[in-house]
Short mmCIF file of all heavy atoms in Angstrom, two decimals:
data_model
loop_
_atom_site.label_atom_id
_atom_site.label_comp_id
_atom_site.label_asym_id
_atom_site.label_seq_id
_atom_site.Cartn_x
_atom_site.Cartn_y
_atom_site.Cartn_z
N GLY A 1 0.77 -1.22 0.00
CA GLY A 1 0.03 -0.02 0.03
C GLY A 1 0.82 1.25 0.00
O GLY A 1 0.30 2.38 0.25
N GLU A 2 2.16 1.17 -0.23
CA GLU A 2 2.96 2.33 -0.24
C GLU A 2 3.81 2.41 -1.50
O GLU A 2 4.06 1.42 -2.15
CB GLU A 2 3.94 2.23 0.96
CG GLU A 2 3.32 2.32 2.31
CD GLU A 2 4.19 2.24 3.39
OE1 GLU A 2 4.99 3.19 3.66
OE2 GLU A 2 4.26 1.20 4.13
N SER A 3 4.13 3.65 -2.00
CA SER A 3 4.84 3.87 -3.24
C SER A 3 6.30 3.45 -3.10
O SER A 3 6.77 3.32 -1.94
CB SER A 3 4.80 5.31 -3.63
OG SER A 3 5.71 6.08 -2.81
N TYR A 4 6.96 3.36 -4.20
CA TYR A 4 8.32 2.88 -4.09
C TYR A 4 9.33 4.00 -3.66
O TYR A 4 10.36 3.77 -3.37
CB TYR A 4 8.79 2.09 -5.31
CG TYR A 4 9.22 2.86 -6.60
CD1 TYR A 4 10.23 2.31 -7.34
CD2 TYR A 4 8.69 4.04 -7.02
CE1 TYR A 4 10.62 2.93 -8.54
CE2 TYR A 4 9.05 4.63 -8.16
CZ TYR A 4 10.12 4.10 -8.95
OH TYR A 4 10.52 4.66 -10.11
N ASP A 5 8.79 5.26 -3.65
CA ASP A 5 9.57 6.28 -2.94
C ASP A 5 9.79 5.91 -1.50
O ASP A 5 10.85 6.34 -0.96
CB ASP A 5 8.80 7.61 -2.93
CG ASP A 5 8.75 8.16 -4.40
OD1 ASP A 5 9.70 8.02 -5.17
OD2 ASP A 5 7.68 8.73 -4.76
N ALA A 6 8.89 5.14 -0.78
CA ALA A 6 9.07 4.77 0.58
C ALA A 6 10.20 3.81 0.72
O ALA A 6 11.04 3.98 1.64
CB ALA A 6 7.83 4.24 1.12
N VAL A 7 10.37 2.89 -0.12
CA VAL A 7 11.49 2.00 -0.03
C VAL A 7 12.86 2.65 -0.53
O VAL A 7 13.95 2.18 -0.09
CB VAL A 7 11.30 0.58 -0.77
CG1 VAL A 7 10.13 -0.17 -0.10
CG2 VAL A 7 11.02 0.75 -2.21
N ILE A 8 12.74 3.52 -1.42
CA ILE A 8 13.92 4.34 -1.74
C ILE A 8 14.45 5.08 -0.51
O ILE A 8 15.62 5.13 -0.13
CB ILE A 8 13.66 5.29 -2.94
CG1 ILE A 8 13.50 4.57 -4.24
CG2 ILE A 8 14.84 6.31 -3.03
CD1 ILE A 8 13.03 5.44 -5.40
N ALA A 9 13.56 5.74 0.25
CA ALA A 9 13.90 6.34 1.48
C ALA A 9 14.45 5.48 2.53
O ALA A 9 15.40 5.78 3.24
CB ALA A 9 12.64 7.15 2.03
N ASP A 10 13.92 4.25 2.56
CA ASP A 10 14.49 3.28 3.54
C ASP A 10 16.02 2.90 3.15
O ASP A 10 16.85 2.85 3.99
CB ASP A 10 13.75 1.92 3.34
CG ASP A 10 12.42 1.90 4.06
OD1 ASP A 10 12.19 2.67 5.07
OD2 ASP A 10 11.51 1.17 3.58
N CYS A 11 16.24 2.82 1.84
CA CYS A 11 17.59 2.50 1.36
C CYS A 11 18.52 3.57 1.75
O CYS A 11 19.64 3.27 2.32
CB CYS A 11 17.62 2.27 -0.18
SG CYS A 11 16.86 0.87 -0.73
N VAL A 12 18.18 4.78 1.54
CA VAL A 12 19.06 5.93 1.89
C VAL A 12 19.34 5.94 3.41
O VAL A 12 20.45 6.09 3.90
CB VAL A 12 18.53 7.23 1.45
CG1 VAL A 12 19.36 8.39 1.93
CG2 VAL A 12 18.37 7.24 -0.16
N ALA A 13 18.27 5.69 4.15
CA ALA A 13 18.36 5.69 5.67
C ALA A 13 19.23 4.54 6.16
O ALA A 13 20.13 4.75 7.07
CB ALA A 13 16.97 5.52 6.31
N LEU A 14 19.25 3.43 5.47
CA LEU A 14 20.01 2.34 5.91
C LEU A 14 21.60 2.59 5.56
O LEU A 14 22.40 2.11 6.29
CB LEU A 14 19.63 1.00 5.24
CG LEU A 14 18.25 0.46 5.85
CD1 LEU A 14 17.76 -0.69 4.95
CD2 LEU A 14 18.44 0.03 7.21
N LEU A 15 21.87 3.18 4.40
CA LEU A 15 23.24 3.55 4.15
C LEU A 15 23.77 4.49 5.22
O LEU A 15 24.93 4.28 5.69
CB LEU A 15 23.32 4.20 2.77
CG LEU A 15 23.71 3.29 1.54
CD1 LEU A 15 22.67 2.17 1.37
CD2 LEU A 15 23.89 4.04 0.26
N ARG A 16 23.01 5.44 5.55
CA ARG A 16 23.44 6.41 6.64
C ARG A 16 23.53 5.67 7.93
O ARG A 16 24.56 5.93 8.72
CB ARG A 16 22.40 7.57 6.74
CG ARG A 16 22.37 8.46 5.53
CD ARG A 16 21.25 9.43 5.45
NE ARG A 16 21.33 10.28 4.35
CZ ARG A 16 20.43 11.18 3.95
NH1 ARG A 16 19.29 11.23 4.71
NH2 ARG A 16 20.59 11.94 2.88
N LEU A 17 22.64 4.79 8.23
CA LEU A 17 22.68 4.10 9.50
C LEU A 17 24.02 3.21 9.61
O LEU A 17 24.61 3.13 10.69
CB LEU A 17 21.50 3.14 9.58
CG LEU A 17 21.40 2.37 10.86
CD1 LEU A 17 21.31 3.14 12.15
CD2 LEU A 17 20.13 1.39 10.79
N ALA A 18 24.45 2.55 8.51
CA ALA A 18 25.58 1.77 8.53
C ALA A 18 26.79 2.59 8.80
O ALA A 18 27.66 2.22 9.58
CB ALA A 18 25.73 1.03 7.18
N ALA A 19 26.94 3.75 8.20
CA ALA A 19 27.97 4.70 8.42
C ALA A 19 28.06 5.15 9.86
O ALA A 19 29.06 5.23 10.53
CB ALA A 19 27.95 5.85 7.45
N GLU A 20 26.93 5.60 10.32
CA GLU A 20 26.81 6.09 11.71
C GLU A 20 27.17 5.02 12.66
O GLU A 20 27.85 5.25 13.72
CB GLU A 20 25.37 6.56 12.01
CG GLU A 20 24.94 7.88 11.30
CD GLU A 20 23.56 8.12 11.49
OE1 GLU A 20 22.74 7.23 11.97
OE2 GLU A 20 23.12 9.27 11.19
N THR A 21 26.74 3.75 12.54
CA THR A 21 26.94 2.74 13.41
C THR A 21 28.41 2.43 13.75
O THR A 21 28.81 2.13 14.89
CB THR A 21 26.23 1.39 12.99
OG1 THR A 21 24.79 1.74 12.82
CG2 THR A 21 26.43 0.26 13.88
N ILE A 22 29.27 2.49 12.62
CA ILE A 22 30.69 2.23 12.85
C ILE A 22 31.52 3.50 12.80
O ILE A 22 32.72 3.46 12.86
CB ILE A 22 31.19 1.27 11.78
CG1 ILE A 22 31.06 1.70 10.44
CG2 ILE A 22 30.38 -0.12 11.92
CD1 ILE A 22 31.82 0.86 9.38
N GLY A 23 30.89 4.63 12.75
CA GLY A 23 31.58 5.92 12.97
C GLY A 23 32.39 6.32 11.85
O GLY A 23 33.52 6.78 11.95
N VAL A 24 31.89 6.10 10.54
CA VAL A 24 32.70 6.62 9.36
C VAL A 24 31.86 7.68 8.63
O VAL A 24 30.62 7.56 8.55
CB VAL A 24 33.01 5.43 8.42
CG1 VAL A 24 33.97 4.35 9.08
CG2 VAL A 24 31.74 4.72 7.91
N PRO A 25 32.56 8.58 8.00
CA PRO A 25 31.89 9.73 7.38
C PRO A 25 31.50 9.46 5.92
O PRO A 25 30.73 10.13 5.34
CB PRO A 25 32.83 10.91 7.47
CG PRO A 25 34.18 10.25 7.45
CD PRO A 25 34.02 8.96 8.25
N MET A 26 32.26 8.43 5.38
CA MET A 26 32.10 8.17 3.90
C MET A 26 32.10 6.74 3.67
O MET A 26 32.56 5.91 4.46
CB MET A 26 33.34 8.71 3.14
CG MET A 26 33.63 10.21 3.29
SD MET A 26 32.40 11.27 2.51
CE MET A 26 33.00 11.19 0.82
N LEU A 27 31.47 6.26 2.56
CA LEU A 27 31.52 4.92 2.08
C LEU A 27 32.67 4.90 1.03
O LEU A 27 32.87 5.87 0.33
CB LEU A 27 30.17 4.52 1.37
CG LEU A 27 28.95 4.62 2.23
CD1 LEU A 27 27.66 4.27 1.40
CD2 LEU A 27 28.97 3.71 3.49
N ARG A 28 33.43 3.84 1.03
CA ARG A 28 34.61 3.78 0.19
C ARG A 28 34.75 2.40 -0.55
O ARG A 28 34.46 1.37 0.12
CB ARG A 28 35.80 3.99 0.99
CG ARG A 28 35.99 5.42 1.62
CD ARG A 28 37.24 5.65 2.40
NE ARG A 28 37.43 7.01 2.81
CZ ARG A 28 36.93 7.56 3.92
NH1 ARG A 28 36.31 6.76 4.80
NH2 ARG A 28 37.12 8.81 4.22
N PHE A 29 35.17 2.50 -1.75
CA PHE A 29 35.56 1.22 -2.44
C PHE A 29 36.64 1.54 -3.50
O PHE A 29 36.44 2.34 -4.50
CB PHE A 29 34.31 0.71 -3.23
CG PHE A 29 34.59 -0.57 -3.99
CD1 PHE A 29 34.98 -1.80 -3.29
CD2 PHE A 29 34.60 -0.61 -5.38
CE1 PHE A 29 35.17 -2.89 -4.00
CE2 PHE A 29 34.78 -1.82 -6.01
CZ PHE A 29 35.16 -2.91 -5.42
N ARG A 30 37.87 1.00 -3.23
CA ARG A 30 38.89 1.01 -4.20
C ARG A 30 39.20 2.49 -4.77
O ARG A 30 39.28 2.69 -5.99
CB ARG A 30 38.65 0.10 -5.34
CG ARG A 30 38.60 -1.41 -4.86
CD ARG A 30 38.68 -2.42 -5.97
NE ARG A 30 38.68 -3.74 -5.37
CZ ARG A 30 38.97 -4.85 -6.07
NH1 ARG A 30 39.28 -4.77 -7.37
NH2 ARG A 30 38.96 -6.01 -5.52
N GLY A 31 39.36 3.39 -3.82
CA GLY A 31 39.68 4.80 -4.18
C GLY A 31 38.51 5.63 -4.52
O GLY A 31 38.70 6.86 -4.66
N ARG A 32 37.32 5.13 -4.52
CA ARG A 32 36.10 5.97 -4.78
C ARG A 32 35.44 6.23 -3.48
O ARG A 32 35.43 5.35 -2.65
CB ARG A 32 35.10 5.25 -5.68
CG ARG A 32 35.68 4.75 -7.04
CD ARG A 32 34.74 3.96 -7.79
NE ARG A 32 35.33 3.31 -8.94
CZ ARG A 32 34.83 2.18 -9.48
NH1 ARG A 32 33.76 1.63 -8.99
NH2 ARG A 32 35.47 1.69 -10.51
N GLU A 33 34.76 7.34 -3.26
CA GLU A 33 34.19 7.80 -2.11
C GLU A 33 32.72 8.20 -2.38
O GLU A 33 32.48 8.81 -3.39
CB GLU A 33 34.88 8.92 -1.40
CG GLU A 33 36.25 8.47 -0.83
CD GLU A 33 36.88 9.55 0.06
OE1 GLU A 33 36.52 10.75 -0.08
OE2 GLU A 33 37.78 9.17 0.87
N CYS A 34 31.81 8.04 -1.40
CA CYS A 34 30.50 8.47 -1.46
C CYS A 34 29.97 8.97 -0.08
O CYS A 34 30.18 8.18 0.91
CB CYS A 34 29.61 7.24 -1.93
SG CYS A 34 27.76 7.69 -1.93
N ASP A 35 29.47 10.08 0.02
CA ASP A 35 28.88 10.64 1.20
C ASP A 35 27.49 10.21 1.36
O ASP A 35 26.59 10.69 0.73
CB ASP A 35 28.99 12.17 1.27
CG ASP A 35 28.60 12.82 2.48
OD1 ASP A 35 27.97 12.12 3.42
OD2 ASP A 35 28.66 14.07 2.59
N PRO A 36 27.13 9.26 2.25
CA PRO A 36 25.83 8.81 2.41
C PRO A 36 24.78 9.84 2.97
O PRO A 36 23.64 9.66 2.94
CB PRO A 36 25.98 7.54 3.31
CG PRO A 36 27.10 7.86 4.12
CD PRO A 36 28.08 8.57 3.16
#
């Protein structure tokens, strides 16, 4: 009963939660960075 905007918002929240949980400001992979 909810639009897929709601699950997109969940995804963004979970990326931020992962970073917050272990105390990192950025996501990183092989020299690339992303600010969640």
Side-chain angles (χ1 to χ4, degrees):
E2 299 180 66
S3 76
Y4 83 148
D5 290 324
V7 294
I8 291 174
D10 286 331
C11 289
V12 174
L14 289 170
L15 265 62
R16 292 171 176 170
L17 180 63
E20 287 174 347
T21 298
I22 63 170
V24 296
M26 305 287 281
L27 303 177
R28 293 183 172 87
F29 180 68
R30 298 192 175 193
R32 305 172 193 157
E33 291 189 339
C34 174
D35 181 355

